[in-house]
């Protein structure tokens, strides 16, 4: 393939991924991109990355391959109790305040994990809220997890994690909220208990969509460690849409490295990576 066509395909691919997912693929990361796409390059029998792009753009494979490409290009790293201070603020401040505000009735909290990956963020939230209920706080809650990656959503719905993945969960909570797999195929794994799984729903959602099919009175949105992959325009647009789904006084929680990105007239900084709708 000649150099000019190759560059044109490269550029078209980066623009396509940016338009469809918001994710920026700088040219200097081409090696990483190629290595992540290797399974698809092999699956379609292409001779290499260039051959694969030619199949996508010139031989009509694009729409079939795109979901698989997105699954491979997203960075899905997540952990239980990641950036744990956020969960402290949730149970020590946000929940008691909601309970006081709704008194004498128990409030129903709506929480959204807006780039949920394989579910650790949503289930950590479920665990800490279940613990707050055990400690006597009267409220109910529903958690929504959304992500662009179908592969991650499938894992999140299964709610089966390795011992290593569950290691940040304190032993007492692991004992209470997970069931150890007995079948040989599940050795070394544990599944979250049904009481937690019932509180969490997972749904496919692309943050680049103009509108989101989500309630507009959400109490807390976790939007952590995803804005970093987007350019400034997409970051602002996503934040504006998120704000429109928060109830007045609702909270937006971003990753510790993302707090500079939240610059919206309706959002007031509560603490470094937590913002509140005015
Ligand atoms: C690094 S993980 C962060 C997971 C979790 N929020 C955390 O902080 O541990 C980023 C997630 O964002 C998702 N993502 C990337 N672009 C997206 C988009 N346009 N719409 C929805 N999810 C997206 C990826 O699939 C990935 O699972």
């Amino acid at each position: 393939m000649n150099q000019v066509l190759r560059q044109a395909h490269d550029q078209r691919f980066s623009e396509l991924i940016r338009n469809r997912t918001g994710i920026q693929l700088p040219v200097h990361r081409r090696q990483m991109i190629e290595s992540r796409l290797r399974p698809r390059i092999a699956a379609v029998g292409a001779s290499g990355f260039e051959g694969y792009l030619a199949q996508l753009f010139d031989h009509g494979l694009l729409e079939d391959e795109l979901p698989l490409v997105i699954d491979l290009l997203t960075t899905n790293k997540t952990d239980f109790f990641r950036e744990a201070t956020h969960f402290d603020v949730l149970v020590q401040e946000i929940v008691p305040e909601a309970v006081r505000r709704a008194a004498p009735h128990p409030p129903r909290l709506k929480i959204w994990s807006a780039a949920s990956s394989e579910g650790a963020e949503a289930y950590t939230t479920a665990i800490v809220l279940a613990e707050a209920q055990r400690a006597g706080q009267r409220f109910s809650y529903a958690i929504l997890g959304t992500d662009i990656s179908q592969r991650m959503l499938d894992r999140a719905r299964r709610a089966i994690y390795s011992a290593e993945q569950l290691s940040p969960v304190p032993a007492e909570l692991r004992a209470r909220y997970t069931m150890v797999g007995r079948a040989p195929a599940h050795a070394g794994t544990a599944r979250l208990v049904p009481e937690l799984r019932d509180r969490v729903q997972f749904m496919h959602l692309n943050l680049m969509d103009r509108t989101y099919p989500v309630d507009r009175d959400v109490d807390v949105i976790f939007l952590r460690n995803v804005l970093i992959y987007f350019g400034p325009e997409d970051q602002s647009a996503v934040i504006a849409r998120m704000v429109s789904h928060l109830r007045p006084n609702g909270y937006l929680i971003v990753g510790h490295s993302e707090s500079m990105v939240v610059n919206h007239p309706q959002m007031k900084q509560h603490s470094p990576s937590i913002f509140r709708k005015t």
Side-chain angles (χ1 to χ4, degrees):
M1 185 182 296
N2 74 44
Q3 180 76 5
V4 176
L5 188 57
R6 187 186 136 168
Q7 277 175 358
H9 273 169
D10 269 18
Q11 191 172 345
R12 188 168 162 200
F13 183 70
S14 299
E15 278 170 15
L16 175 86
I17 296 299
R18 220 238 63 205
N19 286 335
R20 299 285 185 102
T21 69
I23 298 170
Q24 299 194 303
L25 297 177
V27 177
H28 67 267
R29 297 187 75 196
R30 193 176 195 273
Q31 248 188 340
M32 177 278 280
I33 298 162
E34 281 192 45
S35 83
R36 285 193 178 185
L37 291 181
R38 213 158 276 149
R40 293 314 308 157
I41 296 170
V44 304
S47 52
F49 185 51
E50 286 90 45
Y52 181 65
L53 294 190
Q55 296 224 23
L56 296 191
F57 295 133
D58 304 332
H59 300 284
L61 275 194
L62 184 60
E63 290 307 323
D64 285 349
E65 282 291 304
L66 202 56
L68 306 165
V69 168
I70 291 173
D71 268 349
L72 293 172
L73 288 183
T74 50
T75 300
N76 309 112
K77 184 189 162 19
T78 188
D79 288 309
F80 283 87
F81 287 89
R82 184 179 196 179
E83 302 186 28
T85 54
H86 292 155
F87 301 103
D88 295 339
V89 171
L90 179 66
V91 290
Q92 287 162 20
E93 286 187 47
I94 299 177
V95 170
E97 184 197 291
V99 170
R100 275 196 304 275
R101 200 182 54 237
H105 306 290
R108 178 165 178 75
L109 287 172
K110 292 184 186 176
I111 319 270
W112 180 10
S113 166
S116 55
S117 187
E118 58 192 330
E121 183 174 271
Y123 289 127
T124 301
T125 306
I127 291 173
V128 299
L129 292 180
E131 284 296 286
Q133 288 176 325
R134 272 174 57 87
Q137 297 269 23
R138 287 184 61 241
F139 66 97
S140 61
Y141 66 91
I143 300 171
L144 173 68
T146 62
D147 202 279
I148 197 172
S149 166
Q150 285 294 359
R151 196 165 53 101
M152 289 302 124
L153 290 166
D154 290 344
R155 286 195 200 173
R157 291 188 187 108
R158 275 199 296 275
I160 298 174
Y161 299 96
S162 67
E164 192 189 338
Q165 286 173 304
L166 289 168
S167 63
V169 181
E172 187 194 337
L173 301 184
R174 261 195 329 256
R176 193 169 297 140
Y177 295 111
T178 68
M179 309 173 301
V180 174
R182 287 195 206 289
H186 295 300
T189 67
R191 188 171 198 200
L192 293 170
V193 295
E195 299 93 281
L196 284 194
R197 299 203 310 268
D198 290 349
R199 302 293 176 85
V200 188
Q201 257 202 337
F202 290 97
M203 177 177 91
H204 183 264
L205 185 146
N206 183 349
L207 292 168
M208 290 303 114
D209 289 348
R210 293 276 162 106
T211 57
Y212 305 145
V214 175
D215 292 349
R216 290 193 178 269
D217 58 350
V218 177
D219 294 273
V220 182
I221 297 176
F222 287 89
L223 180 68
R224 304 189 312 163
N225 303 301
V226 65
L227 292 168
I228 37 166
Y229 300 105
F230 303 158
E233 264 180 43
D234 289 329
Q235 289 174 334
S236 303
V238 171
I239 289 166
R241 288 194 283 273
M242 286 291 152
V243 172
S244 75
H245 284 273
L246 280 174
R247 66 163 181 75
N249 295 317
Y251 292 84
L252 175 67
I253 305 182
V254 297
H256 284 313
S257 62
E258 298 169 316
S259 49
M260 299 304 287
V261 172
V262 184
N263 182 11
H264 186 283
Q266 280 179 279
M267 298 307 286
K268 216 172 129 199
Q269 195 157 21
H270 161 281
S271 48
S273 47
I274 303 184
F275 297 81
R276 194 156 191 203
K277 186 169 174 179
T278 53

